[in-house]
Amino acid sequence: SIVKFLGFEQILKNSLTGLPLGGGKGGSDFNPRGRSDSEVMRFCQAFMTELQRHIGASRDVPAGDIGVGGREIGYLFGQFKRLQSSFEGV
């Protein structure tokens, strides 16, 4: 499947750079087209509320991908900081 391929590709890229990270992939079927900024923000906040216990500087580092831009990353990061009450940069 495409997700397995993307995971493999990420593992390969990380191994070439020497980063001690795996290649996990995840996502949702939320389509932001035609949605207001507040709808996108609420979705991102709800998504991060569920995701935050599985990520962190020493566990898994999420990153943007197809269809995820600065706006979405900002919403996700803001919610993560609120939930964790701290920030560990990577």
Side-chain angles (χ1 to χ4, degrees):
S1 78
I2 189 72
V3 175
K4 286 181 182 178
F5 171 75
L6 291 172
F8 170 77
E9 182 182 52
Q10 193 64 51
I11 290 169
L12 181 62
K13 288 192 292 186
N14 289 345
S15 68
L16 294 173
T17 63
L19 294 173
L21 301 171
K25 291 289 180 180
S28 74
D29 61 356
F30 177 79
N31 185 353
R33 287 196 176 101
R35 306 287 179 112
S36 69
D37 281 345
S38 63
E39 287 176 301
V40 173
M41 181 179 71
R42 284 192 306 272
F43 170 78
C44 289
Q45 289 172 338
F47 189 74
M48 182 52 73
T49 298
E50 296 302 316
L51 183 64
Q52 57 97 19
R53 68 181 140 256
H54 303 289
I55 62 174
S58 62
R59 283 182 267 167
D60 192 7
V61 181
D65 209 331
I66 298 169
V68 179
R71 174 184 66 167
E72 293 81 10
I73 294 296
Y75 293 150
L76 292 165
F77 179 65
Q79 182 70 354
F80 181 78
K81 278 186 10 182
R82 268 190 293 284
L83 294 168
Q84 296 289 318
S85 300
S86 67
F87 166 63
E88 300 174 56
V90 175

